[in-house]
Amino acid sequence: INFVKCMRQTGMPLKAIRAFGELHFTHGSVYERLALLVEHQSRMEAQQIELHKALDFIGQKIGRFQDGIAKMEAHRAKTQAG
């Protein structure tokens, strides 16, 4: 059950999980099961790269907003003081 939960949480298609489960009862299926896991790991690594790119983009956007707000507040403080 833990395996199924983990695979679903990481986006493994149900079809692949079923195939893995069916192979579990097949003698000599260790290579096929390994291939399914390696393929899933590769997909996850590719997704992780894309997520990191998105996080970097969002971080840059947040930084620009924060810079803009700081400039507006500095301008407002300068205008009110003067």
Side-chain angles (χ1 to χ4, degrees):
I1 292 178
N2 288 332
F3 174 79
V4 173
K5 283 182 181 179
C6 179
M7 295 301 102
R8 284 304 295 150
Q9 288 173 341
T10 58
M12 181 182 262
L14 283 175
K15 183 177 179 179
I17 294 171
R18 273 192 222 105
F20 189 92
E22 290 169 4
L23 286 169
H24 182 71
F25 297 105
T26 304
H27 180 69
S29 67
V30 68
Y31 296 108
E32 291 90 346
R33 287 183 286 156
L34 174 62
L36 283 170
L37 291 176
V38 168
E39 181 182 329
H40 183 60
Q41 182 181 35
S42 295
R43 275 195 310 272
M44 287 179 61
E45 289 169 346
Q47 289 173 344
Q48 187 176 32
I49 290 168
E50 293 305 312
L51 283 173
H52 280 290
K53 288 178 185 178
L55 282 171
D56 288 344
F57 177 80
I58 291 168
Q60 291 171 7
K61 195 72 163 171
I62 288 170
R64 286 195 288 275
F65 272 97
Q66 291 171 331
D67 290 346
I69 289 169
K71 288 177 185 177
M72 284 185 338
E73 290 176 352
H75 178 71
R76 184 180 304 141
K78 183 178 173 183
T79 304
Q80 290 175 351

Coordinates of all heavy atoms in Angstrom, one line a residue:
I1 N 0.8 -1.2 0.0 CA 0.0 0.0 0.0 C 0.9 1.3 0.0 O 0.6 2.2 -0.7 CB -1.0 0.0 1.2 CG1 -2.0 -1.1 1.0 CG2 -1.7 1.3 1.4 CD1 -3.0 -1.3 2.1
N2 N 2.0 1.3 0.8 CA 2.8 2.4 0.8 C 3.4 2.7 -0.6 O 3.6 3.8 -1.0 CB 4.0 2.2 1.8 CG 3.4 2.3 3.2 OD1 2.5 3.0 3.5 ND2 4.1 1.7 4.2
F3 N 3.8 1.6 -1.3 CA 4.3 1.8 -2.6 C 3.3 2.5 -3.5 O 3.7 3.4 -4.2 CB 4.7 0.4 -3.2 CG 5.2 0.5 -4.6 CD1 6.5 0.9 -4.9 CD2 4.3 0.1 -5.7 CE1 6.9 1.0 -6.3 CE2 4.7 0.2 -7.0 CZ 6.0 0.6 -7.3
V4 N 2.1 2.0 -3.5 CA 1.1 2.6 -4.4 C 0.9 4.0 -4.0 O 0.8 4.9 -4.9 CB -0.2 1.8 -4.3 CG1 -1.4 2.5 -5.1 CG2 -0.1 0.4 -4.8
K5 N 0.8 4.4 -2.8 CA 0.6 5.8 -2.3 C 1.7 6.6 -2.8 O 1.5 7.7 -3.4 CB 0.5 5.9 -0.8 CG -0.8 5.4 -0.2 CD -0.8 5.6 1.3 CE -2.0 5.2 1.9 NZ -2.0 5.4 3.4
C6 N 3.0 6.1 -2.6 CA 4.1 6.9 -3.0 C 4.1 7.1 -4.6 O 4.4 8.2 -5.0 CB 5.4 6.2 -2.6 SG 6.9 7.0 -3.1
M7 N 3.9 6.1 -5.3 CA 3.9 6.2 -6.8 C 2.8 7.2 -7.2 O 3.0 8.0 -8.2 CB 3.7 4.8 -7.4 CG 4.9 3.9 -7.2 SD 6.5 4.5 -7.7 CE 7.2 5.0 -6.2
R8 N 1.6 7.1 -6.6 CA 0.5 8.0 -7.0 C 0.9 9.4 -6.7 O 0.6 10.4 -7.5 CB -0.8 7.6 -6.4 CG -1.5 6.4 -7.0 CD -1.7 6.5 -8.5 NE -2.7 7.6 -8.8 CZ -2.7 8.3 -9.9 NH1 -1.8 8.1 -10.8 NH2 -3.6 9.3 -10.0
Q9 N 1.4 9.7 -5.5 CA 1.8 11.0 -5.1 C 2.9 11.6 -6.0 O 2.9 12.8 -6.1 CB 2.3 11.0 -3.6 CG 1.2 10.8 -2.6 CD 1.7 10.6 -1.2 OE1 2.9 10.4 -1.0 NE2 0.8 10.8 -0.2
T10 N 3.6 10.8 -6.6 CA 4.7 11.2 -7.5 C 4.3 11.2 -8.9 O 5.1 11.4 -9.8 CB 6.0 10.5 -7.2 OG1 5.8 9.1 -7.5 CG2 6.5 10.7 -5.8
G11 N 3.0 10.9 -9.2 CA 2.5 11.0 -10.5 C 2.7 9.8 -11.4 O 2.5 9.9 -12.6
M12 N 3.0 8.7 -10.9 CA 3.0 7.5 -11.7 C 1.6 7.1 -12.2 O 0.7 7.1 -11.4 CB 3.6 6.3 -11.0 CG 3.8 5.0 -11.8 SD 4.4 3.6 -11.0 CE 6.1 3.7 -11.5
P13 N 1.4 6.9 -13.5 CA 0.1 6.5 -14.0 C -0.4 5.2 -13.4 O 0.4 4.3 -13.1 CB 0.3 6.4 -15.5 CG 1.6 7.1 -15.8 CD 2.4 7.0 -14.5
L14 N -1.7 5.1 -13.2 CA -2.3 3.9 -12.6 C -1.9 2.7 -13.5 O -1.7 1.6 -12.9 CB -3.8 4.1 -12.5 CG -4.3 4.9 -11.3 CD1 -5.8 5.1 -11.3 CD2 -3.8 4.3 -10.0
K15 N -1.9 2.9 -14.7 CA -1.6 1.8 -15.7 C -0.2 1.2 -15.3 O 0.0 0.0 -15.3 CB -1.6 2.3 -17.1 CG -1.4 1.3 -18.2 CD -1.5 1.8 -19.5 CE -1.3 0.8 -20.6 NZ -1.4 1.3 -21.9
A16 N 0.8 2.1 -15.1 CA 2.1 1.6 -14.7 C 2.2 1.0 -13.4 O 2.9 0.0 -13.2 CB 3.1 2.8 -14.8
I17 N 1.4 1.5 -12.4 CA 1.3 0.9 -11.1 C 0.7 -0.5 -11.2 O 1.2 -1.5 -10.6 CB 0.5 1.7 -10.1 CG1 1.3 3.1 -9.9 CG2 0.3 1.0 -8.8 CD1 0.5 4.1 -9.1
R18 N -0.3 -0.7 -12.0 CA -1.0 -2.0 -12.2 C 0.0 -2.9 -12.8 O 0.1 -4.1 -12.4 CB -2.2 -1.8 -13.0 CG -3.4 -1.5 -12.2 CD -4.7 -1.7 -13.1 NE -5.6 -0.6 -12.8 CZ -5.8 0.5 -13.5 NH1 -5.3 0.6 -14.7 NH2 -6.6 1.4 -13.1
A19 N 0.7 -2.4 -13.8 CA 1.7 -3.3 -14.5 C 2.8 -3.8 -13.6 O 3.2 -4.9 -13.6 CB 2.3 -2.5 -15.7
F20 N 3.2 -2.8 -12.7 CA 4.2 -3.2 -11.7 C 3.7 -4.3 -10.8 O 4.4 -5.3 -10.5 CB 4.7 -2.0 -10.9 CG 5.8 -2.2 -10.0 CD1 7.1 -2.0 -10.5 CD2 5.7 -2.7 -8.7 CE1 8.2 -2.2 -9.7 CE2 6.8 -2.9 -7.9 CZ 8.0 -2.7 -8.4
G21 N 2.5 -4.1 -10.3 CA 1.8 -5.1 -9.4 C 1.7 -6.4 -10.1 O 1.9 -7.5 -9.5
E22 N 1.3 -6.4 -11.4 CA 1.1 -7.7 -12.1 C 2.5 -8.4 -12.3 O 2.6 -9.6 -12.2 CB 0.4 -7.5 -13.4 CG -1.1 -7.1 -13.2 CD -1.7 -6.6 -14.5 OE1 -1.0 -6.6 -15.6 OE2 -2.9 -6.2 -14.5
L23 N 3.5 -7.6 -12.5 CA 4.8 -8.2 -12.8 C 5.4 -8.8 -11.5 O 6.2 -9.7 -11.5 CB 5.8 -7.1 -13.3 CG 5.5 -6.7 -14.8 CD1 6.4 -5.5 -15.1 CD2 5.9 -7.9 -15.7
H24 N 4.9 -8.2 -10.3 CA 5.4 -8.7 -9.0 C 5.2 -10.2 -8.9 O 6.0 -10.9 -8.2 CB 4.7 -7.9 -7.9 CG 5.2 -8.3 -6.6 ND1 6.5 -7.9 -6.1 CD2 4.6 -9.0 -5.6 CE1 6.6 -8.4 -4.9 NE2 5.5 -9.0 -4.5
F25 N 4.2 -10.7 -9.5 CA 3.9 -12.1 -9.3 C 4.4 -13.0 -10.5 O 4.2 -14.2 -10.5 CB 2.3 -12.3 -9.2 CG 1.8 -11.7 -8.0 CD1 1.1 -10.5 -8.1 CD2 2.0 -12.2 -6.7 CE1 0.6 -9.8 -7.0 CE2 1.5 -11.6 -5.6 CZ 0.8 -10.4 -5.7
T26 N 5.2 -12.3 -11.3 CA 5.7 -13.1 -12.5 C 7.2 -13.4 -12.2 O 8.0 -12.5 -11.9 CB 5.6 -12.2 -13.8 OG1 4.3 -11.8 -14.0 CG2 6.2 -12.9 -15.0
H27 N 7.5 -14.6 -12.3 CA 8.9 -15.0 -12.1 C 9.8 -14.4 -13.1 O 9.5 -14.4 -14.3 CB 9.0 -16.6 -12.1 CG 10.4 -17.0 -11.9 ND1 11.0 -17.0 -10.7 CD2 11.3 -17.6 -12.7 CE1 12.3 -17.5 -10.7 NE2 12.5 -17.9 -12.0
G28 N 10.9 -13.8 -12.7 CA 11.9 -13.2 -13.6 C 11.5 -11.9 -14.1 O 12.1 -11.4 -15.1
S29 N 10.6 -11.2 -13.4 CA 10.2 -9.9 -13.9 C 11.0 -8.7 -13.3 O 10.6 -7.6 -13.5 CB 8.7 -9.7 -13.5 OG 8.5 -9.6 -12.1
V30 N 12.0 -9.0 -12.6 CA 12.8 -8.0 -11.9 C 13.3 -6.9 -12.9 O 13.3 -5.7 -12.5 CB 13.9 -8.6 -11.1 CG1 15.0 -9.2 -11.9 CG2 14.5 -7.6 -10.1
Y31 N 13.7 -7.3 -14.1 CA 14.2 -6.3 -15.0 C 13.0 -5.4 -15.5 O 13.3 -4.2 -15.7 CB 14.8 -7.0 -16.2 CG 16.0 -7.8 -15.8 CD1 16.0 -9.2 -15.8 CD2 17.2 -7.2 -15.4 CE1 17.1 -10.0 -15.4 CE2 18.3 -7.9 -15.1 CZ 18.3 -9.3 -15.1 OH 19.3 -10.0 -14.7
E32 N 11.9 -5.9 -15.7 CA 10.7 -5.1 -16.2 C 10.3 -4.2 -15.1 O 10.0 -3.0 -15.3 CB 9.5 -6.0 -16.6 CG 9.8 -6.8 -17.8 CD 10.4 -8.2 -17.6 OE1 10.8 -8.4 -16.4 OE2 10.4 -9.0 -18.5
R33 N 10.3 -4.6 -13.8 CA 9.9 -3.8 -12.7 C 11.0 -2.7 -12.5 O 10.6 -1.5 -12.3 CB 9.7 -4.6 -11.4 CG 8.5 -5.4 -11.4 CD 8.2 -6.2 -10.2 NE 9.2 -7.3 -10.1 CZ 9.6 -7.9 -9.0 NH1 9.1 -7.4 -7.8 NH2 10.4 -8.9 -9.0
L34 N 12.2 -3.0 -12.6 CA 13.3 -2.1 -12.5 C 13.1 -1.0 -13.6 O 13.3 0.2 -13.4 CB 14.7 -2.7 -12.6 CG 15.9 -1.8 -12.7 CD1 16.0 -0.9 -11.4 CD2 17.2 -2.6 -12.9
A35 N 12.8 -1.4 -14.8 CA 12.6 -0.5 -15.9 C 11.5 0.5 -15.7 O 11.6 1.7 -16.0 CB 12.4 -1.2 -17.3
L36 N 10.4 0.0 -15.1 CA 9.3 0.9 -14.8 C 9.7 1.9 -13.7 O 9.4 3.1 -13.9 CB 8.1 0.1 -14.2 CG 7.3 -0.7 -15.2 CD1 6.3 -1.6 -14.5 CD2 6.5 0.3 -16.1
L37 N 10.5 1.5 -12.7 CA 10.9 2.4 -11.7 C 11.9 3.4 -12.2 O 11.8 4.6 -11.9 CB 11.5 1.7 -10.5 CG 10.5 0.9 -9.7 CD1 11.2 0.1 -8.6 CD2 9.4 1.8 -9.1
V38 N 12.8 3.0 -13.1 CA 13.8 3.9 -13.6 C 13.1 4.9 -14.5 O 13.5 6.1 -14.5 CB 14.9 3.1 -14.4 CG1 15.8 4.0 -15.3 CG2 15.8 2.3 -13.4
E39 N 12.2 4.5 -15.3 CA 11.4 5.4 -16.2 C 10.7 6.4 -15.3 O 10.7 7.6 -15.7 CB 10.4 4.6 -17.0 CG 9.6 5.4 -18.0 CD 8.6 4.6 -18.8 OE1 8.9 3.4 -19.0 OE2 7.5 5.1 -19.1
H40 N 10.1 6.0 -14.3 CA 9.3 6.9 -13.4 C 10.3 7.9 -12.7 O 10.0 9.1 -12.7 CB 8.6 6.1 -12.3 CG 7.7 7.0 -11.5 ND1 6.7 7.8 -11.9 CD2 7.8 7.2 -10.1 CE1 6.2 8.5 -10.9 NE2 6.8 8.1 -9.8
Q41 N 11.4 7.4 -12.3 CA 12.4 8.3 -11.7 C 12.9 9.4 -12.7 O 13.0 10.5 -12.4 CB 13.6 7.5 -11.2 CG 14.7 8.3 -10.5 CD 15.9 7.5 -10.1 OE1 16.2 6.5 -10.8 NE2 16.4 7.8 -9.0
S42 N 13.1 9.0 -13.9 CA 13.5 9.9 -15.0 C 12.5 11.0 -15.2 O 12.8 12.2 -15.3 CB 13.8 9.2 -16.3 OG 14.9 8.3 -16.1
R43 N 11.2 10.6 -15.2 CA 10.1 11.5 -15.4 C 10.1 12.5 -14.2 O 9.9 13.7 -14.4 CB 8.7 10.8 -15.5 CG 8.4 10.4 -16.9 CD 6.9 10.0 -17.0 NE 6.4 9.1 -15.9 CZ 6.4 7.8 -16.0 NH1 6.9 7.2 -17.1 NH2 6.0 7.1 -15.0
M44 N 10.3 12.0 -13.0 CA 10.3 12.8 -11.8 C 11.4 13.8 -11.8 O 11.3 15.0 -11.5 CB 10.3 12.0 -10.5 CG 9.0 11.2 -10.2 SD 9.2 10.2 -8.8 CE 9.6 11.4 -7.5
E45 N 12.6 13.4 -12.3 CA 13.7 14.2 -12.3 C 13.5 15.4 -13.3 O 13.9 16.5 -13.1 CB 15.0 13.5 -12.7 CG 15.5 12.6 -11.5 CD 16.5 11.6 -11.9 OE1 16.8 11.4 -13.1 OE2 17.2 11.0 -11.0
A46 N 12.9 15.0 -14.5 CA 12.6 16.1 -15.5 C 11.6 17.1 -14.9 O 11.7 18.3 -15.1 CB 12.0 15.4 -16.8
Q47 N 10.6 16.6 -14.2 CA 9.6 17.4 -13.6 C 10.2 18.3 -12.5 O 9.9 19.5 -12.4 CB 8.5 16.6 -12.9 CG 7.6 16.0 -13.9 CD 6.6 15.0 -13.2 OE1 6.7 14.7 -12.1 NE2 5.5 14.6 -14.0
Q48 N 11.2 17.8 -11.8 CA 11.9 18.5 -10.8 C 12.7 19.7 -11.4 O 12.7 20.8 -10.9 CB 12.8 17.6 -10.0 CG 13.4 18.3 -8.8 CD 14.3 17.3 -8.0 OE1 14.9 16.4 -8.5 NE2 14.3 17.5 -6.7
I49 N 13.3 19.4 -12.5 CA 14.0 20.5 -13.2 C 13.1 21.6 -13.6 O 13.3 22.8 -13.4 CB 14.8 19.9 -14.4 CG1 15.9 19.0 -13.9 CG2 15.3 21.0 -15.4 CD1 16.6 18.2 -15.0
E50 N 11.9 21.2 -14.2 CA 10.9 22.2 -14.6 C 10.4 23.0 -13.4 O 10.2 24.2 -13.5 CB 9.8 21.6 -15.4 CG 10.2 21.0 -16.7 CD 10.9 22.0 -17.6 OE1 10.4 23.2 -17.8 OE2 12.0 21.7 -18.1
L51 N 10.1 22.3 -12.3 CA 9.7 23.0 -11.1 C 10.7 24.0 -10.6 O 10.3 25.1 -10.1 CB 9.3 22.0 -10.0 CG 8.0 21.2 -10.1 CD1 7.9 20.1 -9.1 CD2 6.8 22.2 -10.1
H52 N 12.0 23.6 -10.6 CA 13.0 24.5 -10.2 C 13.1 25.8 -11.1 O 13.2 26.9 -10.6 CB 14.4 23.8 -10.1 CG 14.6 23.0 -8.9 ND1 14.8 23.5 -7.6 CD2 14.6 21.7 -8.7 CE1 14.9 22.6 -6.8 NE2 14.8 21.4 -7.4
K53 N 12.9 25.6 -12.4 CA 12.9 26.7 -13.3 C 11.7 27.6 -12.9 O 11.8 28.8 -12.9 CB 12.7 26.2 -14.7 CG 14.0 25.6 -15.3 CD 13.7 25.1 -16.7 CE 14.9 24.4 -17.3 NZ 14.6 23.9 -18.6
A54 N 10.5 27.0 -12.7 CA 9.3 27.8 -12.4 C 9.5 28.5 -11.0 O 9.2 29.7 -10.9 CB 8.1 26.9 -12.3
L55 N 10.1 27.9 -10.0 CA 10.4 28.5 -8.8 C 11.3 29.7 -8.9 O 11.2 30.7 -8.3 CB 10.9 27.5 -7.8 CG 9.9 26.6 -7.1 CD1 10.6 25.5 -6.3 CD2 8.9 27.4 -6.2
D56 N 12.4 29.5 -9.7 CA 13.3 30.6 -10.0 C 12.6 31.8 -10.6 O 12.8 32.9 -10.2 CB 14.5 30.1 -10.9 CG 15.4 29.2 -10.1 OD1 15.4 29.2 -8.9 OD2 16.2 28.5 -10.8
F57 N 11.8 31.5 -11.6 CA 11.0 32.6 -12.3 C 10.1 33.3 -11.3 O 10.1 34.5 -11.3 CB 10.2 32.0 -13.4 CG 9.3 33.0 -14.1 CD1 9.9 33.8 -15.1 CD2 8.0 33.1 -13.8 CE1 9.1 34.8 -15.7 CE2 7.2 34.0 -14.4 CZ 7.7 34.9 -15.4
I58 N 9.4 32.5 -10.5 CA 8.5 33.2 -9.5 C 9.3 34.0 -8.5 O 8.9 35.1 -8.1 CB 7.6 32.1 -8.8 CG1 6.6 31.5 -9.8 CG2 6.9 32.6 -7.6 CD1 5.9 30.2 -9.3
G59 N 10.4 33.4 -8.0 CA 11.3 34.2 -7.1 C 11.8 35.5 -7.7 O 11.8 36.5 -7.0
Q60 N 12.1 35.5 -9.0 CA 12.5 36.8 -9.6 C 11.4 37.7 -9.7 O 11.5 38.9 -9.5 CB 13.0 36.5 -11.0 CG 14.4 35.7 -11.0 CD 14.7 35.2 -12.4 OE1 14.1 35.6 -13.4 NE2 15.8 34.4 -12.5
K61 N 10.2 37.2 -10.0 CA 9.0 38.1 -10.1 C 8.7 38.7 -8.7 O 8.4 39.9 -8.6 CB 7.8 37.2 -10.6 CG 6.6 38.0 -11.0 CD 6.9 38.7 -12.4 CE 5.7 39.1 -13.0 NZ 6.0 39.9 -14.2
I62 N 8.8 37.9 -7.7 CA 8.6 38.4 -6.3 C 9.6 39.5 -6.0 O 9.2 40.5 -5.4 CB 8.6 37.2 -5.3 CG1 7.4 36.3 -5.4 CG2 8.8 37.8 -3.9 CD1 7.4 35.0 -4.6
G63 N 10.8 39.2 -6.3 CA 11.9 40.2 -6.1 C 11.6 41.6 -6.8 O 11.8 42.6 -6.2
R64 N 11.1 41.5 -8.0 CA 10.7 42.7 -8.7 C 9.6 43.5 -8.1 O 9.6 44.7 -7.9 CB 10.4 42.4 -10.2 CG 11.7 42.1 -11.0 CD 11.4 42.2 -12.5 NE 10.6 41.1 -13.0 CZ 11.1 39.9 -13.4 NH1 12.4 39.7 -13.3 NH2 10.3 38.9 -13.8
F65 N 8.6 42.7 -7.6 CA 7.5 43.3 -6.9 C 8.0 44.0 -5.6 O 7.6 45.1 -5.3 CB 6.4 42.3 -6.5 CG 5.3 42.1 -7.5 CD1 5.5 41.0 -8.4 CD2 4.2 42.9 -7.6 CE1 4.5 40.8 -9.4 CE2 3.3 42.7 -8.6 CZ 3.4 41.6 -9.5
Q66 N 8.8 43.3 -4.9 CA 9.3 43.8 -3.6 C 10.2 45.1 -3.9 O 10.1 46.1 -3.1 CB 10.2 42.8 -2.9 CG 9.3 41.6 -2.3 CD 10.1 40.5 -1.8 OE1 11.2 40.2 -2.2 NE2 9.5 39.8 -0.8
D67 N 11.0 45.1 -4.9 CA 11.8 46.3 -5.3 C 10.9 47.4 -5.6 O 11.1 48.6 -5.2 CB 12.7 46.0 -6.5 CG 13.9 45.0 -6.1 OD1 14.1 44.8 -4.9 OD2 14.5 44.5 -7.0
G68 N 9.8 47.1 -6.4 CA 8.9 48.2 -6.8 C 8.2 48.8 -5.6 O 8.0 50.0 -5.5
I69 N 7.7 47.9 -4.7 CA 7.1 48.4 -3.5 C 8.0 49.2 -2.6 O 7.6 50.3 -2.1 CB 6.5 47.2 -2.7 CG1 5.3 46.6 -3.4 CG2 6.1 47.6 -1.3 CD1 4.9 45.2 -2.9
A70 N 9.3 48.8 -2.5 CA 10.2 49.6 -1.7 C 10.5 50.9 -2.3 O 10.5 51.9 -1.6 CB 11.5 48.8 -1.6
K71 N 10.5 51.0 -3.6 CA 10.7 52.3 -4.3 C 9.5 53.2 -4.1 O 9.6 54.4 -3.9 CB 11.0 52.1 -5.8 CG 12.4 51.5 -6.1 CD 12.6 51.3 -7.6 CE 13.9 50.6 -7.8 NZ 14.2 50.3 -9.2
M72 N 8.3 52.6 -4.2 CA 7.1 53.4 -4.0 C 7.0 53.9 -2.6 O 6.7 55.1 -2.4 CB 5.8 52.6 -4.3 CG 5.5 52.3 -5.7 SD 4.0 51.4 -6.0 CE 3.6 50.6 -4.5
E73 N 7.3 53.1 -1.6 CA 7.3 53.5 -0.2 C 8.4 54.6 0.0 O 8.1 55.6 0.8 CB 7.5 52.3 0.7 CG 6.2 51.4 0.7 CD 6.4 50.2 1.5 OE1 7.5 49.9 2.0 OE2 5.4 49.5 1.7
A74 N 9.5 54.4 -0.5 CA 10.6 55.5 -0.3 C 10.2 56.8 -1.0 O 10.4 57.8 -0.4 CB 11.9 55.0 -1.0
H75 N 9.6 56.7 -2.1 CA 9.1 57.9 -2.8 C 8.0 58.6 -2.0 O 8.0 59.8 -1.8 CB 8.6 57.6 -4.2 CG 8.1 58.8 -5.0 ND1 8.9 59.8 -5.4 CD2 6.8 59.1 -5.3 CE1 8.1 60.7 -6.0 NE2 6.8 60.3 -5.9
R76 N 7.1 57.8 -1.5 CA 6.0 58.3 -0.7 C 6.5 59.0 0.6 O 6.1 60.0 1.0 CB 5.0 57.2 -0.3 CG 3.8 57.7 0.5 CD 2.8 56.6 0.9 NE 2.4 55.8 -0.3 CZ 2.3 54.5 -0.3 NH1 2.5 53.8 0.7 NH2 1.9 53.9 -1.4
A77 N 7.5 58.3 1.3 CA 8.1 58.9 2.5 C 8.8 60.2 2.2 O 8.7 61.1 2.9 CB 9.0 57.9 3.1
K78 N 9.5 60.2 1.1 CA 10.2 61.4 0.6 C 9.3 62.6 0.3 O 9.5 63.7 0.7 CB 11.1 61.1 -0.6 CG 12.0 62.2 -1.0 CD 12.8 61.8 -2.2 CE 13.6 62.9 -2.8 NZ 14.3 62.6 -4.0
T79 N 8.2 62.2 -0.3 CA 7.2 63.2 -0.7 C 6.5 63.8 0.5 O 6.2 65.0 0.6 CB 6.1 62.6 -1.7 OG1 6.8 62.0 -2.8 CG2 5.1 63.6 -2.1
Q80 N 6.1 62.9 1.5 CA 5.4 63.4 2.7 C 6.4 64.1 3.6 O 5.9 65.0 4.3 CB 4.9 62.1 3.4 CG 3.7 61.5 2.7 CD 3.2 60.2 3.4 OE1 3.9 59.7 4.3 NE2 2.1 59.7 2.9
A81 N 7.7 63.9 3.6 CA 8.6 64.6 4.4 C 8.9 65.9 3.8 O 9.3 66.8 4.5 CB 9.9 63.8 4.5
G82 N 8.8 66.1 2.5 CA 9.2 67.3 1.9 C 8.1 68.2 1.7 O 7.9 69.3 1.9

